[in-house]
Amino acid sequence: MKLYIQIENGQPVNHPAIEDNLIHALGTIPANWESFTRVEKPVAGVYQTFDSDQPTYEKVDGVWADVWLLRDMTDEEKAVKQQSVKDAWAARDQADNWSVWTFDESLCTFVPPIPRPAAIEGVNVFWCGADANWKEVPVRPVDDNQYKFDFSTWTWVAV
């Protein structure tokens, strides 16, 4: 799918249009419409943020394209993000089950002292705070009730 964008006084006007739609509506691609390349929004790093949720349209190597303004967070923004993650972690239901996990600043998340074991089909494991290790989870009951897992008794409890 080829895209074009209207240019007036060297600046893009409106949004890109599909080539077939332009030809259908106008009979041809007018001279003031130039090629446009759609660029997917990049994934921000742990301590990066976008200046806007929308890209700007800029000419890159002779072709108009989406340009995403991604920047590193300030020290203050990093501190706010880290504190938000820590607060959410502490507010979790049964948070004491994960009390030995530590905050990894480089990832801005909590990590277990022992890596999660490789997945085995049909086996589900949770972190067991009482054993300070990963442990196989009992099978969840299958009936019309809703359940939550109780880490202190290592059982499914109806809610």
Side-chain angles (χ1 to χ4, degrees):
M1 169 174 62
K2 189 157 182 165
L3 298 173
Y4 289 87
I5 193 162
Q6 185 179 7
I7 305 300
E8 290 183 6
N9 300 319
Q11 296 300 313
V13 178
N14 297 318
H15 298 286
I18 299 170
E19 180 180 46
D20 289 345
N21 290 350
L22 287 172
I23 292 171
H24 181 72
L26 306 173
T28 186
I29 305 298
N32 67 326
W33 286 76
E34 297 182 17
S35 289
F36 185 91
T37 300
R38 184 62 73 198
V39 176
E40 292 293 321
K41 186 176 184 178
V43 176
V46 173
Y47 294 115
Q48 291 181 314
T49 189
F50 290 94
D51 281 338
S52 172
D53 289 334
Q54 299 298 319
T56 58
Y57 300 147
E58 298 177 24
K59 205 165 201 177
V60 178
D61 296 328
V63 177
W64 290 93
D66 293 314
V67 174
W68 296 92
L69 301 176
L70 185 63
R71 65 173 176 78
D72 291 336
M73 289 182 175
T74 64
D75 289 342
E76 293 80 20
E77 288 170 321
K78 287 180 190 177
V80 167
K81 180 176 181 175
Q82 290 172 356
Q83 191 59 53
S84 174
V85 168
K86 291 174 182 178
D87 291 346
W89 183 263
R92 294 174 65 185
D93 185 39
Q94 305 181 75
D96 57 332
N97 185 64
W98 297 273
S99 63
V100 297
W101 288 36
T102 56
F103 184 74
D104 183 330
E105 188 174 319
S106 68
L107 300 173
C108 197
T109 192
F110 282 83
V111 295
I114 300 168
R116 185 182 187 114
I120 299 173
E121 190 172 333
V123 177
N124 196 11
V125 296
F126 286 164
W127 179 259
C128 177
D131 295 347
N133 206 338
W134 296 96
K135 187 173 177 181
E136 188 173 343
V137 179
V139 176
R140 184 180 186 149
V142 180
D143 56 30
D144 292 335
N145 295 320
Q146 291 188 353
Y147 293 89
K148 78 171 194 168
F149 195 76
D150 184 326
F151 290 93
S152 63
T153 62
W154 207 251
T155 60
W156 291 98
V157 178
V159 291

